[in-house]
Amino acid sequence: MNRPFHGRTRTAAAVVAAVALGVLAGCSSSSSTTSASTATSAPASSSAASSPSSSSSASTVSTSSCGTKPGVAATGTPINIGAINTKQPGTDFSDIENMAGAYFACVNANGGINGHPIKFFPETEQTNPSQIAALAKQLVTTDHVVGMMGNSSIIECSVDAAYWKSVGIDVLGAGIDPECYSTPNTASVNMGPRYSSDGAVQYVLAQGANKIAFDQSNVPGTAYIAAGPNAVAKAKGVSIQDFTENVPITSANAIATKLVTAAGPSGAVVLNFTPPEALLILQAAQKLNLEDRVKYWACSTPCNTDFLATSLGPKWNGKLFVNAELTPLDGNTSATAQLFDAILKQYGSDVSGGVGSFSEMGFTIAEIGTHALESITGPYTIASVSAALEGVSNYNTGMLCQGYTYGSYSEHIPNNMDYTVTPDNGKFVEASTGGGCTLISASDPQIAAYRAIAGTAPMAS
């Protein structure tokens, strides 16, 4: 179906809508659970409902926009869809699948997919390869899913890439590890930590930083992630020093001091952490009066959450620059932003981080997935769902700078143009200088390789 927000216009300097999100990492470990749902969920809890609004009070788009039959619950044979997310101390991506589930619940309450409800099976894992592999097989052989929409995990793509290919499932997710971007059966709505860190480094270099101190969580894949920012800095002739930290962070003061010393007064500190961990470092820098000892502070996408902007306070206005893979939502009155806000409030009780990049990713995954499912005529099978995803071409989500194309490529980096945002009194807004939609540098060889086979997607219009 054609939703009203697909025709939203943008300019190269500033896209007409903006998005920010974040998930509170550092939650306690939980065992995986199969929590399939087809019914519309209860209204959001007060904490979720009171999260920073992404739309004006005069909202004109309601949750009835989710489907083709407003107010009519889908009652046909369910379409089983799965997702696997990391949820462990220091790293929690579950807001992605939770927001996707909220979107699907909204679709189900408004006609479903040609009358069929989506039955969603969200799973969580703790970076255990055997656990992850078992969950994938459980979803296919026991839960009989015909598609995977909402995956976001530190290592799931690497663990399951061969399995998804063997059973013919195309995954639509928010990637982390290399296989999320370098294999034929997975495509992401986000850039992941490597390309998002590319964007953060690219931004501070454009503003004149002459040295980079790049720090990230000490989790699997750090060398792969760091390779991108290093290539971008090297292309500009700027030195970069890499660091890793165990999470949860216990020595924020020492880390902040180390990074400021490494960057120097004309350099930049670039962080790649989930919001609570990045916040510890930034607050330590402020406590030690180090925030002005470097020229710039920057961060990859997870920092793009009102939780972090509010916690930092106004002293960081215009001082921290965050790569935003999706449209900034604060102050945004577009139809997309209004629908996001409405779904979050009515169905997003499980979205603990509220408005932020992770919830935006879940929304966007579910939107694209719904669009693909609606194109299917005939039975909903693994083959038909995968073919529908591969058929998504130049789709305007209202959330991404570029039209989204899945395609039948050997690798997938469909989101490679984005924004830079900065705190503004508890919100994140587009940076006034160079913050508009900007292509990620092809100095990263992975970006160059993808564009060689898929081209450069046009800006969404």
Side-chain angles (χ1 to χ4, degrees), residues 12-18 328 419-422 428-437:
V15 176
V16 172
Y419 312 83
T420 298
V421 296
T422 189
F428 270 107
V429 300
E430 187 177 303
S432 59
T433 302
C437 288

Side-chain angles (χ1 to χ4, degrees), residues 435-446:
C437 288
T438 303
L439 283 169
I440 297 300
S441 173
S443 297
D444 185 325
Q446 300 298 326

Side-chain angles (χ1 to χ4, degrees), residues 15 17-21 196 199-200 203-204 296-306 308-309 312 316-330 356-357 360 401 418-424 427-438:
V15 176
V19 148
L21 119 32
S196 178
Y203 182 82
V204 295
Y296 300 103
W297 293 81
C299 196
S300 59
T301 296
C303 290
N304 183 20
T305 166
D306 287 350
L308 188 139
L312 285 176
W316 287 85
N317 289 355
K319 188 169 295 184
L320 172 68
F321 297 91
V322 180
N323 179 265
E325 299 171 3
L326 301 96
T327 300
L329 285 178
D330 286 325
S357 294
E360 284 190 76
C401 284
D418 63 2
Y419 312 83
T420 298
V421 296
T422 189
D424 182 19
K427 307 289 185 182
F428 270 107
V429 300
E430 187 177 303
S432 59
T433 302
C437 288
T438 303

Side-chain angles (χ1 to χ4, degrees), residues 267-312:
V269 173
V270 179
L271 305 176
N272 177 42
F273 293 91
T274 53
E277 307 306 312
L279 179 62
L280 290 174
I281 297 172
L282 295 168
Q283 287 181 326
Q286 182 171 331
K287 182 177 70 174
L288 297 172
N289 296 313
L290 298 175
E291 69 272 20
D292 294 322
R293 295 275 299 277
V294 296
K295 194 169 186 179
Y296 300 103
W297 293 81
C299 196
S300 59
T301 296
C303 290
N304 183 20
T305 166
D306 287 350
F307 151 73
L308 188 139
T310 302
S311 299
L312 285 176

Side-chain angles (χ1 to χ4, degrees), residues 115-184:
H116 298 273
I118 296 170
K119 189 173 183 179
F120 195 45
F121 295 82
E123 301 284 356
T124 58
E125 51 79 20
Q126 291 77 51
T127 326
N128 181 320
S130 60
Q131 177 197 27
I132 293 168
L135 284 173
K137 291 179 181 178
Q138 170 193 302
L139 286 164
V140 173
T141 61
T142 302
D143 301 322
H144 305 294
V145 301
V146 293
M148 296 293 294
M149 301 177 185
N151 286 18
S152 188
S153 165
I154 295 173
I155 62 171
E156 189 277 327
C157 289
S158 61
V159 172
D160 291 332
Y163 180 68
W164 298 135
K165 185 175 181 179
S166 73
V167 297
I169 284 182
D170 281 354
V171 178
L172 179 64
I176 307 295
D177 49 335
E179 288 79 3
C180 299
Y181 304 93
S182 60
T183 54

